[in-house]
């Protein structure tokens, strides 16, 4: 196994950071390198908001349910946004009509932004930094948008906390690779397939404890009924749909004389 193989096999999420500052030039260089990730039509439909001061990180923290890694140590918070605004303004001043107020354009931006963020994550970790993806960005997109003063057509998608690791980390479990590869055509899973693929995950002591602590009978029940229940999914879906209507699908058109 090569050094690169080892890195990917052993990488882990870092949720606590030291007080060592991230050099500004290093951060800018990593962002620039990450911008060479693949992008739809070379449009680069993304931007990143850097929250580096304690005040800036504390301002964004409630939108992420005050998770401690947001304000931990001297880390920074990076909010990766789908940015259709910049592209549409470029079109506007060049007498071009951009038809980007639709789901397809949003997906362009989601793809671009995701690849950009993940390339940054990999580069940062290869330079000795630790990262944590926050799963709360799309839950509270309207609040994040307000805190960061995002205009129409700029949508927060991914948040990474970044800093120098304060402690050792635990590698998360993963499904066997045979469970995610489909040769030629999609092979649907039988009940026996599912039981085999998830057996190791379900047998981990921490997951057995997770089931017990939540008063459930199976790990699947914890995920589907406690962590990501239908009611919560539907509530946040409605919030997100309303927000997207307002800032993208039904946003005021950009005037050509701007």
């Amino acid at each position: 196994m090569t050094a690169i193989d080892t890195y990917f096999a052993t990488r882990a999420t870092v949720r606590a950071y030291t007080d060592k500052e991230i050099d500004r030039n290093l951060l800018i260089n990593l962002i620039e390198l990450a911008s060479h990730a693949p992008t739809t039509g070379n449009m680069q439909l993304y931007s990143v908001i850097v929250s580096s001061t304690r005040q800036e990180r504390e301002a964004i923290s409630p939108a992420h349910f005050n998770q401690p890694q947001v304000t931990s140590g001297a880390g920074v918070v990076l909010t990766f946004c789908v940015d259709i605004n910049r592209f549409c303004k470029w079109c506007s001043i060049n007498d071009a009509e951009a038809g980007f107020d639709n789901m397809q354009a949003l997906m362009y931006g989601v793809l671009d932004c995701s690849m950009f963020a993940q390339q940054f994550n990999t580069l940062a970790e290869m330079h000795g930094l630790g990262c944590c993806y926050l799963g709360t960005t799309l839950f509270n997109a309207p609040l994040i948008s307000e805190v960061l003063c995002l205009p129409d057509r700029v949508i927060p998608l991914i948040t990474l906390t970044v800093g120098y690791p304060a402690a050792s980390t635990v590698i998360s479990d993963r499904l066997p690779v045979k469970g995610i590869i489909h040769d030629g055509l999609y092979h649907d899973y039988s009940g026996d397939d599912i039981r085999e693929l998830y057996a190791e995950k379900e047998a981990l002591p921490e997951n057995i404890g997770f089931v017990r602590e939540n008063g459930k009978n199976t790990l699947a029940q914890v995920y589907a009924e406690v962590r990501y229940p239908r009611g919560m999914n539907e509530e946040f879906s409605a919030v997100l749909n309303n927000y997207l209507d307002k800032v993208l699908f039904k946003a005021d058109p950009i005037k050509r004389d701007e």
Side-chain angles (χ1 to χ4, degrees), residues 125-159:
E125 291 176 346
M126 286 182 165
H127 282 75
L129 294 163
C131 300
C132 178
Y133 275 87
L134 302 184
T136 43
T137 308
L138 289 179
F139 288 166
N140 285 320
L143 178 56
I144 294 171
S145 179
E146 180 180 345
V147 172
L148 299 180
C149 297
L150 304 182
D152 287 353
R153 302 174 184 84
V154 179
I155 300 153
L157 180 71
I158 293 168
T159 302

Side-chain angles (χ1 to χ4, degrees), residues 140-193:
N140 285 320
L143 178 56
I144 294 171
S145 179
E146 180 180 345
V147 172
L148 299 180
C149 297
L150 304 182
D152 287 353
R153 302 174 184 84
V154 179
I155 300 153
L157 180 71
I158 293 168
T159 302
L160 278 182
T161 60
V162 186
Y164 289 97
S168 59
T169 55
V170 177
I171 301 172
S172 298
D173 62 272
R174 290 292 185 264
L175 294 175
V177 71
K178 69 178 182 179
I180 59 177
I181 294 175
H182 300 259
D183 289 318
L185 301 172
Y186 188 94
H187 167 74
D188 205 358
Y189 304 95
S190 67
D192 287 341
D193 291 334

Side-chain angles (χ1 to χ4, degrees), residues 66-235:
N66 295 308
Q67 295 179 77
Q69 55 265 44
V70 175
T71 54
S72 172
V76 300
V77 177
L78 302 181
T79 306
F80 293 85
C81 303
V82 173
D83 191 344
I84 295 172
N85 172 63
R86 183 181 60 242
F87 182 81
C88 287
K89 288 193 170 181
W90 175 62
C91 289
S92 177
I93 66 173
N94 285 280
D95 199 30
E97 184 176 350
F100 274 45
D101 55 350
N102 46 62
M103 182 61 72
Q104 188 63 52
L106 176 62
M107 291 299 101
Y108 296 155
V110 168
L111 290 171
D112 286 10
C113 189
S114 299
M115 290 184 284
F116 174 49
Q118 181 53 41
Q119 186 137 305
F120 174 89
N121 180 101
T122 300
L123 287 161
E125 291 176 346
M126 286 182 165
H127 282 75
L129 294 163
C131 300
C132 178
Y133 275 87
L134 302 184
T136 43
T137 308
L138 289 179
F139 288 166
N140 285 320
L143 178 56
I144 294 171
S145 179
E146 180 180 345
V147 172
L148 299 180
C149 297
L150 304 182
D152 287 353
R153 302 174 184 84
V154 179
I155 300 153
L157 180 71
I158 293 168
T159 302
L160 278 182
T161 60
V162 186
Y164 289 97
S168 59
T169 55
V170 177
I171 301 172
S172 298
D173 62 272
R174 290 292 185 264
L175 294 175
V177 71
K178 69 178 182 179
I180 59 177
I181 294 175
H182 300 259
D183 289 318
L185 301 172
Y186 188 94
H187 167 74
D188 205 358
Y189 304 95
S190 67
D192 287 341
D193 291 334
I194 296 296
R195 280 185 280 272
E196 179 185 354
L197 292 174
Y198 283 85
E200 185 175 348
K201 176 188 285 285
E202 292 171 340
L204 291 172
E206 59 267 33
N207 285 337
I208 292 174
F210 201 25
V211 173
R212 186 182 305 113
E213 291 164 10
N214 285 278
K216 295 296 182 178
N217 297 317
T218 67
L219 186 61
Q221 288 176 344
V222 174
Y223 274 88
E225 299 172 9
V226 178
R227 296 192 66 185
Y228 304 101
R230 175 183 294 276
M232 183 193 75
N233 292 336
E234 292 179 346
E235 176 184 355

Side-chain angles (χ1 to χ4, degrees), residues 17-19 21 51-62 67-77:
Y17 309 109
T18 70
D19 290 330
E21 299 281 348
S51 301
S52 54
T53 69
R54 170 68 62 169
Q55 182 179 12
E56 289 169 342
R57 289 184 287 141
E58 288 179 349
I60 201 69
S61 182
Q67 295 179 77
Q69 55 265 44
V70 175
T71 54
S72 172
V76 300
V77 177

